Amino acid sequence: MSSSDDRHDTPDVSPNGGVSRRNFLKGTGVALSIPIVAKTEKIVKAAGADVQIHGPDKVNITLNINGAAKQASVEPRVTLLDALRNDLDITGAKRVCDRATCGACTVIVDGKAVYSCTVLAIEAQGRRIQTAEGLEQNGKLHPVQQAFWDNDAQQCGFCTPGFVMACKALLDKHPNPTDEQIRLGMGGNLCRCGTYHGVKGAIAQAAGGMRKLKGGKA
Ligand code: FES
Ligand code: FES
């Protein structure tokens, strides 16, 4: 059965239930009322509660990306998308709208498709992050990648890594997706080149390929 869980994370929700980008920005109002003395990490009292302040200087973070620990030094305001692209040279996820609209930045975090432009890099620590770079195994394309290739489901290709990751997250959860599940799972990704017909064919082929990969019937 479909649920709102099939959709991409909204800007209000970080993958671990922690501080999303939007809540982080809201929290700036609180931070401004606090003397600006924090350099890296500090606990301060605000509205009767302990609030952990990071930055404004860079902090060291470790991210689990495609099964490997990757280290970077980033300002706390930096998104997962920018940390991937600018600090770790993992450029599959694309920055297009940078505001949770287009899906070009989609990665999978703990099994769920999320917009990496709406997640802070520091909040992604301890989560399992998958990007398009991690799909190919032993020189062989993942069934989802192969399906996008076979169905010519791209033109400029700028949206494609995001579509591929959204498709993988969808099929991991729903091996035999209904039309409604496809609509919810893929509805957060836009293609300006209009390759939706090819994407539809790719999803059908990828579903069979992934079932086969898992030992079931294609
Ligand atoms: S770049 Fe993140 S949704 Fe468009
Ligand atoms: S292939 Fe060009 S935006 Fe989708």
Side-chain angles (χ1 to χ4, degrees):
M1 194 164 142
S2 302
S3 74
S4 59
D5 276 358
D6 292 323
R7 299 172 195 268
H8 285 65
D9 262 356
T10 67
D12 280 335
V13 184
S14 78
N16 62 356
V19 182
S20 69
R21 189 182 186 193
R22 177 177 292 177
N23 287 336
F24 171 78
L25 293 172
K26 280 183 193 163
T28 308
V30 174
L32 287 176
S33 65
I34 297 165
I36 302 173
V37 293
K39 272 297 177 187
T40 51
E41 291 190 16
K42 184 182 175 106
I43 303 287
V44 298
K45 285 272 183 208
D50 284 345
V51 177
Q52 187 167 19
I53 303 291
H54 299 277
D57 292 346
K58 289 184 174 182
V59 293
N60 295 325
I61 62 168
T62 302
L63 298 173
N64 177 347
I65 302 171
N66 300 323
K70 301 280 184 185
Q71 281 157 357
S73 181
V74 299
E75 292 177 18
R77 66 183 175 85
V78 169
T79 62
L80 174 59
L81 174 64
D82 285 345
L84 287 170
R85 294 184 56 82
N86 301 339
D87 296 279
L88 297 170
D89 204 23
I90 297 172
T91 57
K94 300 289 185 281
R95 185 203 249 232
V96 178
C97 69
D98 202 28
R99 57 192 62 197
T101 301
C102 72
C105 64
T106 301
V107 299
I108 299 177
V109 178
D110 286 346
K112 187 173 182 185
V114 303
Y115 295 141
S116 59
C117 69
T118 67
V119 178
L120 292 174
I122 55 170
E123 284 294 316
Q125 293 184 95
R127 322 309 296 186
R128 201 163 38 86
I129 301 161
Q130 290 177 282
T131 71
E133 287 86 348
L135 294 181
E136 182 186 312
Q137 295 293 322
N138 304 319
K140 196 169 180 331
L141 292 180
H142 186 278
V144 176
Q145 294 173 303
Q146 188 66 55
F148 272 71
W149 176 278
D150 291 346
N151 287 272
D152 204 15
Q154 65 275 311
Q155 283 187 35
C156 75
F158 220 73
C159 68
T160 311
F163 266 98
V164 165
M165 298 313 287
C167 180
K168 180 175 186 300
L170 167 72
L171 297 177
D172 279 339
K173 187 172 180 186
H174 302 294
N176 297 291
T178 62
D179 286 349
E180 178 67 359
Q181 286 163 343
I182 293 172
R183 192 182 65 76
L184 287 171
M186 303 299 293
N189 290 71
L190 303 177
C191 173
R192 287 189 185 190
C193 298
T195 59
Y196 297 108
H197 182 72
V199 168
K200 202 173 164 192
I203 294 169
Q205 178 180 323
M210 283 182 63
R211 285 195 298 268
K212 204 169 160 191
L213 195 69
K214 291 176 181 170
K217 277 187 181 173

